[in-house]
Each structure stands twice: as structure tokens, then as C-alpha cells.
Amino acid sequence: MEGTGSRSSTSSSVVTAHGLVFWTLCSVLLPVLITLWCSFQRSRRQMLIRDISWKSKHDWRYTDLFGQPSYCCVCAQHILQGAFCNCCGLRINEGCLKKAEQLFHCKEIMMSSSGARSSMPHHWIRGNVPLCSCCMVCRLQCGTLPKLCDYRCVWCQHTVHDECLVDYIKTQECTFGKFRDLIIPPYYLSTIKQMRKEKRTDYEKVAPYCRKHWMPVIVLANTRSGNNMGETLLGEFKLLLNPIQVFDLSKITPAKALQLCTLLPCNAVRVLVCGGDGTVGWVLDAIDEMKIKGQERYIPQVAILPLGTGNDLSNTLGWGAGYAGEVPLEQILQNVMEADGVKLDRWKVQVTNKGYYNLRKPKVFTMNNYFSIGPDALMALNFHAHREKTPSLFSSRIINKAVYFFYGTKDCLVQECKDLNKKVELELDGERIELPNLEGIIFLNIGYWGGGCRLWEGVGDEPYPLARHDDGLLEVVGVHGSFHCAQIQVKLANPVRLGQAHTVRVTTQTLFHAPACAVCI
């Protein structure tokens, strides 16, 4: 009896062990299989949309979950996922894509009909109107019924009820809504096209067709900046403006995009740069190229939507320290319309090698924010090199700042920039400055540094004037190391103020395993 009991207990324990192994494998393999299946389905859908988009005039994108209750514009069924057009806002079930191509036209960036025109009709799309939108006829809320209902114009963004959309509203001309001063009308572009065929360049005569105070905006978005919001913003701006005004800087350079300014009235264009300070500098360099080409009268004014990590230039010019979607794009465009122009100093940094027999041409760079030698420059260089190798890892500002913190902590231990004052000579307006024991020197053009720190003013009771970005002066400060930089950012220490100057010259002997060189600002 004892042998039988022991055998039964052993067999039950074996069954229990097998069951435990089975359920463990299921718990591990099931999520993996589900993930693989979802990835396969997503790739299949993307291939389908890519095949359709190749010949389509719509800008189709696929989403796994719509942000609001949505209905297919073809079959009128409630959908949680599907395709949507970035330009006209159509929302379509996956199986209705081909039919939607035949039924619906997208936004026309240029009028197809010939002849000069100064107006255009509404372009109505049924269903999926914005939340809390009101009917332009009866002023009651639209989109309240749980079905495909009500209409929205893709140009003026006005919404109307089904029963309010009578014949006289269908024939009413579109006024382009509250952003009519920013939108490039399709009939304007068709007129310009006809004038270019006739080899005429008097585009100013076409401007009255639009509006008296017309200031068209061009949107340049960098999809790799900061928290990678650029791709989402591209679609939202295409929905509010003419899609030809919105450019993805990962697909086209700013120099090519800004050539649109030459088809618009002189000194009337505004450019909204969606990106970090590096993107803004890229655009400003492209504007310098326009000056070289003799296109000074087409130079646009630049506004900033800060998507980068530091955004010091944006913060200095009053556009904020960072954008994370907390402000509607309608308010951003309103701010662009109402903004006043300010001047910004831009500096040339010339790097030349020392020596009598040097045949290399000096390297010339443009500085907008600040120029530095020392630990903060080393951190920025390491960050840039790491992001170039693995750009997919840098998907948010928090991760970017964590990488900066890592390299700053590393420099606190290694101190690669130690005894910098023994390796460089500093001249401010031709006068040599005796340097104390430093590890870094920073030349400031703007008030903010290091992601929002007012470096020149510092903390305490010392009366230092505010740093300006339009006074033709550079503020020069020194730091004792990475730990000192961290103390300055949390307002526990002040930098070593070395002075202000119109011209700066830095001569180095041996710096970070680099050849001897001279830096002039």
C-alpha cells in the first residue's frame, strides 16, 4: 500500500510539473505570438496603404486607434482603427480604401481650371467633425449623434449640420476661415503657374486676389527633433493650411523649401520652424544662401515651434522652452500672425590653423546661440555622435537629457578638459585676458544657455545687466568643470564672468589631441 501511494504521489507531482512547464511556456510564448501577429498585420496594412498611396492624391496614414469616435466615410460603420488622410481628414476603414479613392477628392493645392480666379467653393467632407465644433448656420454643436453625420469644409474648417447644408450654402464661396491671411489659395498658385508660362514675374499684381494683409506662412518641420512630434504636426498643419505650404525637412532641404518664397509677395512671408535650435540654425543658413543668390526681397521672417531638447534660442525669442502638444495648433498659428519682428545677432566663427606654411582654407561657421570650449562642448559632441549612430533611441526629451547627464557625470570623473587656462589665450576686443583656473569658456549670444539657464546674470545680489541678443556684444564666461555647470543650472553657483566684447580671439596650443589652432569670433 505504501508503494502504491508513493507511486501515485510521484505521478501527480510529475503531472503538476508538466502543467507548470506548459503554462509557463504559454505565458511566455503567447505574448510573443500576439506581438508577431500584430506586427505582421501592421506591415501588411502599411504595404496596402503604400500601394494605394503610390497613385493616390490623398496623403494616407494608418493608425491603430483613433483619438475620438470615428466612422468610415464610405460605409458609415464605427471604426477604431483604419486609414486617415493628413490633408483632407478623411477616415476610412481598411477595406474601403480603394472605393474612397474613387468617391472623394483630396485638397487641391492648385486649381485645375484655367483662367484667373479670386474665389473658390467650399470642399465639404461628411462626418468626423472636430469635437465641440458649432454649426456656422444655427450655431448649435455639431457631431453629437453616434453616427456619420454633419459636414466640415477642409479649407475654412467650418462645420454645418446635415439639415443646414442647403443649396445656397453649397454654392457659397469659401473664405478660408480665420487663417485666410496665412493660407496660400489654390487659385493663386494656378495664376502664378500661368504667369510663369508667359515668362512674367510681376507676382505682386496677383496678391490683391488674396487679401490686403496677406502674410502666407511656410511650415518646416524636423521629424527627428526632441520628442519626435514632427510627423504628427505635419499632418495637423496640412489639415489647416494648403499642403504645399508644409515641408518635411527629412525629405527636402530648407534651401529648396524656401524657394516657395520667390513665388509670393515680397517681405510678406513668415516661416514657422518646428524643431530644435539646430533646425532653426539650418533654416537661417538657408536664408543666408537666399541673400547670396540676390533674393533679399523675398527673405521671410522666422517663427519657432520648439520641439528640441534645449530650445534656448526659442526661449530667448519668446516662443517658449518646449512644446509638447499642450497648446492647440490654431493658437500657434494665431501667435504667428500676431508676432512682432525682432533682430537677432548672428556671428561668424573662423577656425584657422597656425603656421607659416599652412595652405588650408579657414573653416567658417555661423553661431546663433553660443560657442564653447570645454566640458559642455564635449558633452554636446558626444551626444551628437551617439544620436547619429542610433537615432531611434532618442525619442523624447527625457531620454536626451538623461544622455547629457550621463556624459556630464563621466566628465566629472575623467576631467578631459582640465587646465584649459594653460592651453588657451583669450583676447576680448584686442585685449588679452588673464584666465583663472578653468575647464571651459563659453561665448554667449543669447540670454539662455544649457536648456533654460540665465548664465550671464547668474544668482545673488551682483548687479549684472541682462544679456541681449541684438546688441552686437558677446558675453564671455568661464566654468570650472561639469559639476560647476550642474551647480549653475540649479542656481547654486555663478559662472566666472570674463567680460563682454564685439570681437573675440582664442588661440590654443594643444587642445583635446587637436592641432594648434586659432578661433576668431
Side-chain angles (χ1 to χ4, degrees), residues 48 66 150 184 349 383:
L48 175 63
F66 287 109
D150 303 337
I184 301 177
V349 180
F383 174 84

Side-chain angles (χ1 to χ4, degrees), residues 400-445:
N400 297 350
K401 292 181 178 180
V403 175
Y404 271 111
F405 176 77
F406 167 77
Y407 284 118
T409 306
K410 177 184 175 183
D411 186 70
C412 288
L413 302 175
V414 179
Q415 292 184 328
E416 295 186 45
C417 308
K418 189 177 181 180
D419 297 329
L420 179 70
N421 55 296
K422 299 178 182 179
K423 303 174 184 177
V424 302
E425 296 178 1
L426 176 64
E427 295 180 12
L428 302 182
D429 288 334
E431 181 181 352
R432 183 172 177 179
I433 305 297
E434 292 295 330
L435 297 175
N437 185 19
L438 297 174
E439 289 191 22
I441 303 175
I442 304 171
F443 309 91
L444 297 164
N445 180 44

Side-chain angles (χ1 to χ4, degrees), residues 132-158:
C132 301
S133 58
C134 295
C135 176
M136 62 178 293
V137 178
C138 65
R139 300 300 176 185
L140 297 178
Q141 186 173 349
C142 290
T144 56
L145 300 178
K147 64 177 183 178
L148 188 74
C149 61
D150 303 337
Y151 288 85
R152 173 184 59 87
C153 176
V154 299
W155 287 107
C156 63
Q157 309 302 323
H158 287 164

Side-chain angles (χ1 to χ4, degrees), residues 301-452:
Q301 293 180 309
V302 178
I304 306 172
L305 183 60
L307 302 182
T309 303
N311 303 310
D312 292 311
L313 180 59
S314 170
N315 208 0
T316 299
L317 298 178
W319 293 101
Y323 179 76
E326 65 277 4
V327 180
L329 290 191
E330 290 84 353
Q331 183 60 48
I332 299 294
L333 292 176
Q334 190 70 31
N335 294 342
V336 172
M337 281 196 297
E338 299 173 355
D340 297 323
V342 297
K343 293 184 178 180
L344 172 68
D345 294 335
R346 303 185 70 219
W347 299 79
K348 292 295 183 182
V349 180
Q350 180 176 324
V351 181
T352 58
N353 290 332
K354 294 173 62 177
Y356 294 104
Y357 302 103
N358 179 41
L359 300 178
R360 295 182 180 178
K361 292 183 179 180
K363 293 183 178 180
V364 180
F365 306 94
T366 303
M367 184 190 74
N368 302 310
N369 293 14
Y370 36 78
F371 170 81
S372 62
I373 303 173
D376 62 323
L378 185 61
M379 283 187 286
L381 178 62
N382 290 331
F383 174 84
H384 175 72
H386 197 174
R387 183 165 65 173
E388 288 296 313
K389 288 182 180 179
T390 54
S392 59
L393 295 179
F394 297 83
S395 57
S396 70
R397 294 191 182 101
I398 296 177
I399 295 176
N400 297 350
K401 292 181 178 180
V403 175
Y404 271 111
F405 176 77
F406 167 77
Y407 284 118
T409 306
K410 177 184 175 183
D411 186 70
C412 288
L413 302 175
V414 179
Q415 292 184 328
E416 295 186 45
C417 308
K418 189 177 181 180
D419 297 329
L420 179 70
N421 55 296
K422 299 178 182 179
K423 303 174 184 177
V424 302
E425 296 178 1
L426 176 64
E427 295 180 12
L428 302 182
D429 288 334
E431 181 181 352
R432 183 172 177 179
I433 305 297
E434 292 295 330
L435 297 175
N437 185 19
L438 297 174
E439 289 191 22
I441 303 175
I442 304 171
F443 309 91
L444 297 164
N445 180 44
I446 60 178
Y448 287 94
W449 165 85

Side-chain angles (χ1 to χ4, degrees), residues 21-81:
V21 171
F22 172 78
W23 290 112
T24 303
L25 289 174
C26 288
S27 63
V28 173
L29 294 177
L30 188 60
V32 174
L33 294 175
I34 293 176
T35 303
L36 292 175
W37 182 81
C38 292
S39 300
F40 172 76
Q41 292 293 327
R42 187 178 295 109
S43 62
R44 186 181 64 84
R45 293 179 187 127
Q46 291 176 351
M47 288 293 294
L48 175 63
I49 294 177
R50 189 181 299 114
D51 293 340
I52 295 177
S53 301
W54 185 258
K55 301 178 181 179
S56 174
K57 292 184 178 181
H58 291 276
D59 185 13
W60 294 115
R61 293 291 184 271
Y62 190 86
T63 181
D64 291 323
L65 183 64
F66 287 109
Q68 69 177 70
S70 302
Y71 299 87
C72 176
C73 293
V74 175
C75 63
Q77 296 296 318
H78 181 263
I79 52 176
L80 295 176
Q81 60 184 16

Side-chain angles (χ1 to χ4, degrees), residues 21-217:
V21 171
F22 172 78
W23 290 112
T24 303
L25 289 174
C26 288
S27 63
V28 173
L29 294 177
L30 188 60
V32 174
L33 294 175
I34 293 176
T35 303
L36 292 175
W37 182 81
C38 292
S39 300
F40 172 76
Q41 292 293 327
R42 187 178 295 109
S43 62
R44 186 181 64 84
R45 293 179 187 127
Q46 291 176 351
M47 288 293 294
L48 175 63
I49 294 177
R50 189 181 299 114
D51 293 340
I52 295 177
S53 301
W54 185 258
K55 301 178 181 179
S56 174
K57 292 184 178 181
H58 291 276
D59 185 13
W60 294 115
R61 293 291 184 271
Y62 190 86
T63 181
D64 291 323
L65 183 64
F66 287 109
Q68 69 177 70
S70 302
Y71 299 87
C72 176
C73 293
V74 175
C75 63
Q77 296 296 318
H78 181 263
I79 52 176
L80 295 176
Q81 60 184 16
F84 65 95
C85 178
N86 272 335
C87 298
C88 64
L90 276 176
R91 301 191 179 190
I92 303 296
N93 192 12
E94 179 184 346
C96 300
L97 267 176
K98 293 183 179 179
K99 195 172 182 180
E101 284 290 330
Q102 303 172 358
L103 294 177
F104 301 103
H105 295 286
C106 194
K107 269 185 175 180
E108 283 187 299
I109 62 175
M110 186 182 301
M111 298 294 288
S112 57
S113 59
S114 60
R117 296 186 59 177
S118 59
S119 63
M120 61 181 296
H122 288 284
H123 183 166
W124 298 107
I125 294 293
R126 187 165 188 248
N128 304 309
V129 299
L131 299 175
C132 301
S133 58
C134 295
C135 176
M136 62 178 293
V137 178
C138 65
R139 300 300 176 185
L140 297 178
Q141 186 173 349
C142 290
T144 56
L145 300 178
K147 64 177 183 178
L148 188 74
C149 61
D150 303 337
Y151 288 85
R152 173 184 59 87
C153 176
V154 299
W155 287 107
C156 63
Q157 309 302 323
H158 287 164
T159 55
V160 293
H161 291 117
D162 291 331
E163 55 272 16
C164 295
L165 191 67
V166 292
D167 292 338
Y168 75 92
I169 295 182
K170 289 182 180 179
T171 57
Q172 191 179 27
E173 294 179 352
C174 181
T175 60
F176 294 98
K178 60 181 179 180
F179 298 126
R180 53 187 175 271
D181 289 336
L182 300 179
I183 295 176
I184 301 177
Y187 55 77
Y188 175 86
L189 294 175
S190 60
T191 306
I192 295 296
K193 182 180 179 181
Q194 184 64 29
M195 292 176 66
R196 295 188 71 179
K197 289 181 179 179
E198 300 171 359
K199 297 182 179 181
R200 295 167 52 196
T201 58
D202 49 343
Y203 302 146
E204 293 83 0
K205 296 181 179 179
V206 190
Y209 281 114
C210 301
R211 284 186 60 82
K212 184 178 180 180
H213 303 290
W214 189 41
M215 54 174 73
V217 65

